[in-house]
């Protein structure tokens, strides 16, 4: 079942927005095929940054648009594209962002999904720069073999609206709990969409044989997810769980400048900064486990790295997580956090590593809380450890 949230009264944002964007180009999402890329290529749908607009910018094909925009159809049918998720997983919701598409926005969309094995995905012709083109007969022949008309419908044909800022974001809930690898985005009959965000989580299978291998328990590809945070103004904390190294500040978690930051910062006895302001984010591990090695990477944050960080952990059930989440983690009776790494200074543009000797508790946990002071940005957090079952009492 799907719900088009923009039809709901009120302006409540959907819960799924804190999940990872499984289709984003920064986690390896790719467009495999599009029926038409005439005005602007479908690859723009998967860009991480917010859509841009340049009033005076025209290409030889028309007005430059930061999104996917097809020709006005003069033949029957509709346009569609195939997206390979960067991280296959369970999808909880979509955001179709139509920013700056006014007068040329696709009026309706639908989204279908499939879970395909690598051998079921034909090698499509290289996409390259597709502006000014439509799919070739050869490409159409190849995609027909994928029988993508028969995929599972996650969003039925639904109207979308164009507008500015929040009004341009069309949200859809997806309730299927299956794992998906590919999406087919249909627009009816043609037009443009700026971005498609695919909110979900990876469901990794943890084979028993792997239990003694170190895994990054919080990595997005292993099912880690951010479940709450104090500030995501300049970059979402979920970014720091992304695959590989961050390419720029854009791939990290960056808070706004803290309003509580005092003009003169004080050092405590141990050289640790004493500041009233701090920023925090809570993450659910992909599997409960014992964290034995930690990396906090401030790469690319040179004039805006946090002065100090600390890392804590706890065990939470799904119900407890939902309750704290519903209260935005502000309940006085919050989780009992255990210190893994106490307040520790950070350096600019540096990977900081901590092994078992620096980690205060080698117990099984389900959630961690990264706090930094007073504000700033971090590009990656890696929490290597061993997946372990929870103690019986908490199962
Ligand atoms: N001004 C426009 O945006 N026109 C057309 N689109 C582009 N990108 O030029 C169109 O009508 O679809």
């Amino acid at each position: 079942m799907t719900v088009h949230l923009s039809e709901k009264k009120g302006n409540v944002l959907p819960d799924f927005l804190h999940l990872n964007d499984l289709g984003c180009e920064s986690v390896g999402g790719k467009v495999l095929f599009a029926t038409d890329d005439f005005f602007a290529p479908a690859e723009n749908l998967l860009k991480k940054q917010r859509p841009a607009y340049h009033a005076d910018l025209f290409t030889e094909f028309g007005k430059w648009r930061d999104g996917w925009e097809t020709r006005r159809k003069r033949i029957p049918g509709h346009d569609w594209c195939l997206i390979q998720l960067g991280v296959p997983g369970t999808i909880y919701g979509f955001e179709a962002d139509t920013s700056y598409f006014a007068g040329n926005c696709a009026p309706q969309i639908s989204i279908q999904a499939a879970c395909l094995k690598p051998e079921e995905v034909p090698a499509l012709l290289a996409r390259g720069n597709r502006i000014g083109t439509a799919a070739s007969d050869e490409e159409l022949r190849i995609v027909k073999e994928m029988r993508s008309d028969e995929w599972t419908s996650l969003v039925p044909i639904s109207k979308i609206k164009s507008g500015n800022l929040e009004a341009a974001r069309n949200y859809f809930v997806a309730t299927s709990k299956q794992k998906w690898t590919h999406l087919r985005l249909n627009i009816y009959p043609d037009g443009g969409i700026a971005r498609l965000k695919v909110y979900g989580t990876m469901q990794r299978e943890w084979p028993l044989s792997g239990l003694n291998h170190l895994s990054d328990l919080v990595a997005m590809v292993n099912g880690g997810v951010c479940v709450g945070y104090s500030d995501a103004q300049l970059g979402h904390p979920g970014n720091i769980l992304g695959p590989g190294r961050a390419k720029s500040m854009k791939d990290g978690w960056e808070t706004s400048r803290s309003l509580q930051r005092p003009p003169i910062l004080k050092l405590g006895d141990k050289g640790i900064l004493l500041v009233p302001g701090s920023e925090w984010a809570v993450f659910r591990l992909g599997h409960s486990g014992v964290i034995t090695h930690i990396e906090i990477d401030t790469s690319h944050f040179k004039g805006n790295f946090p002065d100090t960080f600390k890392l804590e952990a706890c065990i939470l059930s799904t119900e407890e997580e939902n309750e704290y989440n519903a209260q935005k983690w502000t309940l006085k009776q919050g989780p009992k956090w255990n210190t893994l790494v106490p307040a520790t200074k950070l350096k600019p543009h540096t990977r900081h590593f901590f092994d078992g000797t620096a980690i205060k508790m080698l117990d099984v946990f389900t959630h961690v809380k990264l706090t930094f002071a007073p504000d700033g940005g971090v590009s990656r957090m890696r929490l290597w450890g061993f997946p372990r079952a929870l103690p019986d009492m908490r199962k």
Side-chain angles (χ1 to χ4, degrees), residues 39-40 58 61-65 69-72 102-104:
F39 286 118
F58 287 81
F61 305 103
K63 176 99 186 68
W64 179 86
R65 297 287 179 191
E69 189 188 351
T70 69
R71 265 177 286 205
R72 298 185 187 210
N104 55 350

Side-chain angles (χ1 to χ4, degrees), residues 45-101:
L45 289 167
L46 309 183
K47 280 189 189 165
K48 189 177 191 92
Q49 66 268 37
R50 298 277 304 130
Y53 178 72
H54 299 289
D56 298 324
L57 190 53
F58 287 81
T59 71
E60 64 178 291
F61 305 103
K63 176 99 186 68
W64 179 86
R65 297 287 179 191
D66 191 6
W68 176 37
E69 189 188 351
T70 69
R71 265 177 286 205
R72 298 185 187 210
K73 265 201 179 319
R74 303 300 185 226
I75 50 169
H78 72 277
D79 285 313
W80 53 279
C81 69
L82 277 181
I83 294 167
Q84 179 166 298
L85 299 178
V87 182
T90 305
I91 297 170
Y92 292 88
F94 295 96
E95 178 184 311
D97 181 342
T98 58
S99 293
Y100 307 118
F101 284 87

